[in-house]
């Protein structure tokens, strides 16, 4: 089974759209998302545009605040404090990376945790790791939903996560631990990556190394989620590949996400779902 991320994302967006229509009818209120973009980094511009369009499509009031790369940390902090108080704003997202003179993690901590739709605030990180309700980072949340769609009961399965970033690997581990998986995390200092991987029923690769995971690393019938986005040269140009060597791995798996067209589209859909969740929390809506 090759998981079609575009289809999966469309389903999720439809669900969010329907729920937004229903909360609008009940309350007369509209969920709002504000994205802060600093500087003119081209990939960030593209990501932000996609987020804005997807949010509008499901009925979220979405706004992008653009600032020059010279903005001070103090000014950016005051912008966030204003958004924290704004009743029409339920989700605040600061597009990363920020310019070097701004401390990104300090800025994230200024966001009201209830509006932290990226799930990066320490309160959300802490809630997730202590098994409480939290806003969960969008990419691992999307991976989790796709895994659960393949197999509902994950209890007792061996999960191997390659990568330990705060953005992907660590929250992914917490989500699968909550599902009673036996979780192992690999990273750049892990000695026997292949051997550990071969024992896994679920593999999530979030590394940033093209085609690292090969077919002979994979147990037959495993679920493989490829988070990686790597640009590799191809006939004078470039193409995008994942961290998983799709060709050799696909033959052995129960399910796999391709790159592109796997995790990427689902990530943005999860941002919309997080914005709706934030709206419901702020307005004390039942889950
Ligand atoms: P990151 O912060 O650079 O973390 C990469 C992790 O991989 C680190 O834990 C690192 O280990 C580990 N690693 C690096 N080389 C390794 C190797 N040879 N063997 C084993 N582990 C190794 O990256 P990230 O932000 O998590 O992103 C990972 C990938 O996902 C990137 O390709 C990124 O572009 C992609 N991504 C995709 C989406 C999406 O929506 N699809 C979203 C975000 C990111 P150490 O901790 O020891 O350094």
């Amino acid at each position: 089974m090759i998981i079609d991320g575009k289809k999966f994302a469309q389903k999720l967006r439809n669900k969010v759209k329907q729920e937004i229509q229903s909360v609008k009818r009940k309350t007369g209120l509209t969920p709002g998302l504000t994205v802060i973009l600093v500087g003119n980094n081209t990939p960030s511009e593209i990501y932000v545009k996609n987020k804005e369009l997807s949010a509008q499509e499901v009925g979220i009031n979405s706004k992008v605040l653009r600032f020059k790369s010279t903005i001070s940390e103090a000014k950016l902090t005051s912008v966030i404090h204003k958004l924290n108080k704004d009743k029409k704003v339920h989700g605040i997202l600061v597009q990363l990376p920020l310019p070097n003179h701004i401390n990104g993690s300090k800025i994230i901590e200024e966001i009201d945790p209830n509006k932290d739709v990226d799930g990066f605030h320490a309160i959300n990180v802490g809630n997730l790791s202590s098994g409480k309700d939290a806003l969960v980072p969008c990419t691992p949340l999307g991976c989790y939903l796709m895994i659960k769609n393949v197999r509902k009961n994950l209890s007792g399965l061996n999960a191997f996560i390659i990568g330990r970033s705060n953005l992907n690997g660590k929250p992914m581990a917490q989500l699968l631990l909550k599902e009673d998986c036996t979780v192992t995390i690999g990273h750049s200092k892990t000695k026997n990556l292949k051997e550990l991987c071969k024992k896994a029923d679920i593999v999530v690769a979030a590394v940033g190394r093209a085609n690292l995971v090969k077919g002979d690393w994979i147990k037959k019938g495993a679920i493989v989620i490829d988070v990686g986005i790597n640009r590799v040269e191809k006939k004078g140009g470039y193409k995008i590949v994942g961290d998983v060597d799709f060709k050799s791995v696909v033959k052995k798996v129960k399910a796999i996400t391709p790159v592109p067209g796997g995790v990427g589209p689902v990530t943005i859909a999860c941002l919309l779902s997080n914005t709706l969740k934030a709206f419901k929390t702020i307005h004390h809506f039942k889950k």
Side-chain angles (χ1 to χ4, degrees), residues 39-103:
N40 40 17
N41 173 304
T42 308
S44 292
E45 285 276 1
I46 297 168
Y47 294 144
V48 165
K49 192 81 217 152
N50 286 340
K51 287 170 185 174
E52 190 183 16
L53 292 175
S54 306
Q56 283 165 359
E57 187 203 312
V58 298
I60 290 172
N61 271 341
S62 85
K63 216 181 187 180
V64 180
L65 300 180
R66 291 184 162 78
F67 297 98
K68 288 194 176 136
S69 59
T70 49
I71 189 175
S72 69
E73 198 171 292
K75 171 71 185 151
L76 197 55
T77 303
S78 78
V79 169
I80 291 171
H81 288 172
K82 213 167 146 203
L83 293 171
N84 284 345
K85 287 191 202 132
D86 189 334
K87 290 201 160 52
K88 290 187 178 149
V89 175
H90 307 93
I92 303 169
L93 185 154
V94 178
Q95 184 65 42
L96 300 174
L98 289 169
N100 287 339
H101 68 279
I102 298 176
N103 181 336

Side-chain angles (χ1 to χ4, degrees), residues 139 163-165 167-168 187-188 193 206-209 227-229 263 267:
T139 302
R164 58 175 163 179
S165 70
L167 179 70
N168 291 308
H187 46 77
S188 68
L193 223 47
V207 187
R209 299 277 178 276
V227 179
I229 302 175
V263 175
T267 295

Side-chain angles (χ1 to χ4, degrees), residues 268-280:
I268 294 191
C270 285
L271 171 66
L272 311 177
S273 140
N274 272 355
T275 305
L276 174 59
K277 183 181 164 87
F279 173 90
K280 285 172 25 184

Side-chain angles (χ1 to χ4, degrees), residues 64 109 151 155 168 175 188 200 202-203 227 245:
V64 180
E109 295 311 310
R151 191 165 166 168
S155 179
N168 291 308
L175 287 166
S188 68
I202 298 169
V203 177
V227 179
D245 179 35

Side-chain angles (χ1 to χ4, degrees), residues 113 138 141 155 248 253:
C138 303
L141 177 60
S155 179
S248 63
V253 298

